[in-house]
């Protein structure tokens, strides 16, 4: 049994045809320190309320000058915000996202209201609902095209490059902590030493996540992109 490294995040890289990896241990102290500050007013109401809990992550990195720095991330949006001071940003330009998303989202909502009003006319209602479905599917595609992934070889790719065409991209791909953290580190010439992701807030509905516990990156969304994101990292 290997013991010194503890839990290691592994992900298959199709270019190198091997697993790239990053240990958790070098980041656990930083994660615990963040947990100790989670009852800050910013988080408390939100994470124990409607939103329930959330995944958070820290990435301990070495700078080019040889000093250490800790990046932190929340998964998805935080209370409707993609960007918060002190936290790494998402994998897309937030203004581009707004410009694309907001008008279409309005249209989708309007179609939903229209469908509700025409409940008695089934044919018309179904055609409105179909229109709405197509609109939101196209919106997801356009949103996914906004994401740019950067790795430690200085390469870039889009989400669309990492998922087989026929499989589709799960909603929320690229919004987890690991991709946000690794992408930011790669863009800022920081060398990751340890990655720790933990859950905070009210236990999720399926009871698969508990406050204060560490988890590896998810398989469905992060699995297909982490290999690319970790590519070029010096092996530990
Ligand atoms: Zn994930
Ligand atoms: Zn690779």
């Amino acid at each position: 049994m290997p013991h010194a490294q503890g839990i290691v995040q592994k992900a298959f890289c199709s270019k190198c045809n091997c697993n790239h990896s990053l240990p958790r241990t070098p980041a656990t102290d930083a994660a615990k320190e963040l947990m100790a500050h989670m009852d800050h007013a910013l988080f408390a109401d939100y994470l124990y309320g409607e939103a329930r809990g959330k995944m958070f992550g820290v990435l301990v990195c070495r700078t080019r000058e040889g000093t250490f720095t800790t990046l932190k991330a929340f998964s998805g949006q935080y209370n409707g915000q993609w960007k918060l001071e002190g936290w790494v940003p998402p994998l897309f330009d937030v203004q581009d996202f707004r410009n694309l998303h907001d008008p279409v989202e309005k249209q989708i909502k309007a179609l939903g209201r229209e469908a509700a009003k025409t409940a008695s006319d089934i044919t018309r209602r179904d055609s409105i609902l179909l229109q709405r479905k197509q609109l939101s599917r196209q919106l997801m595609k356009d949103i996914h095209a906004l994401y740019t992934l950067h790795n430690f070889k200085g390469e870039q790719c889009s989400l669309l490059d990492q998922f087989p065409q026929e499989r589709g991209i799960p909603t929320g791909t690229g919004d987890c902590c690991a991709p946000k953290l690794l992408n930011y580190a790669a863009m800022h010439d920081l060398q990751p030493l340890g990655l720790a992701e933990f859950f905070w807030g009210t236990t999720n509905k399926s009871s698969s996540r508990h406050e204060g516990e560490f988890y590896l990156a998810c398989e469905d969304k992060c699995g297909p992109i982490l290999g690319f994101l970790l590519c070029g990292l010096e092996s530990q």
Side-chain angles (χ1 to χ4, degrees):
M1 277 285 283
H3 53 278
Q5 266 199 327
I7 303 280
V8 176
Q9 176 69 59
K10 288 195 175 93
F12 185 75
C13 173
S14 55
K15 251 193 191 157
C16 304
N17 202 26
C18 69
N19 280 317
H20 295 311
S21 63
L22 190 59
R24 176 186 292 159
T25 309
T28 46
D29 283 350
K32 284 177 183 159
E33 197 179 316
L34 178 56
M35 289 183 204
H37 291 93
M38 289 302 268
D39 49 3
H40 185 279
L42 175 68
F43 299 107
D45 294 348
Y46 178 70
L47 291 176
Y48 295 104
E50 213 183 310
R52 304 182 76 93
K54 211 177 213 339
M55 287 295 293
F56 291 85
V58 297
L59 188 68
V60 172
C61 304
R62 191 174 12 235
T63 65
R64 193 190 269 225
E65 293 75 34
T67 60
F68 298 95
T69 185
T70 300
L71 305 175
K72 56 188 204 286
F74 51 84
S75 61
Q77 282 179 293
Y78 196 89
N79 215 359
Q81 301 294 315
W82 285 111
K83 265 170 137 178
L84 275 186
E85 180 74 35
W87 301 80
V88 296
L91 277 66
F92 51 82
D93 182 275
V94 176
Q95 194 53 49
D96 288 348
F97 176 90
R98 291 265 165 252
N99 294 345
L100 169 71
H101 172 270
D102 294 359
V104 183
E105 186 63 25
K106 258 188 204 158
Q107 272 177 280
I108 289 171
K109 282 187 177 150
L111 287 171
R113 286 193 298 271
E114 210 180 319
K117 271 191 264 171
T118 50
S120 55
D121 183 347
I122 305 288
T123 317
R124 186 160 144 66
R125 193 198 62 174
D126 285 355
S127 103
I128 294 169
L129 289 178
L130 180 65
Q131 201 190 336
R132 188 178 70 158
K133 197 173 162 187
Q134 285 164 342
L135 208 55
S136 68
R137 205 174 274 167
Q138 187 57 48
L139 177 62
M140 275 320 294
K141 266 192 195 157
D142 295 343
I143 286 175
H144 285 144
L146 293 180
Y147 286 65
T148 309
L149 280 56
H150 297 77
N151 72 14
F152 297 93
K153 274 187 172 162
E155 298 165 337
Q156 295 183 19
C157 78
S158 120
L159 279 184
L160 310 166
D161 300 329
Q162 300 299 322
F163 286 83
Q165 284 265 315
E166 65 283 358
R167 258 188 43 204
I169 304 175
T171 305
T173 298
D175 296 334
C176 289
C177 298
K180 286 190 191 183
L181 291 163
L182 292 169
N183 184 65
Y184 185 92
M187 289 175 77
H188 292 83
D189 208 6
L190 300 168
Q191 189 206 347
L193 304 173
L195 168 70
E197 292 183 89
F198 65 89
F199 185 82
W200 202 260
T202 313
T203 300
N204 69 346
K205 283 185 179 134
S206 57
S207 274
S208 58
R209 298 258 192 265
H210 298 276
E211 184 167 275
E213 284 186 21
F214 290 109
Y215 297 93
L216 285 170
C218 67
E219 279 296 322
D220 57 333
K221 295 175 280 183
C222 290
I225 57 174
L226 278 187
F228 175 87
L229 286 165
L230 288 168
C231 194
L233 259 191
E234 234 171 71
S235 42
Q236 306 290 316

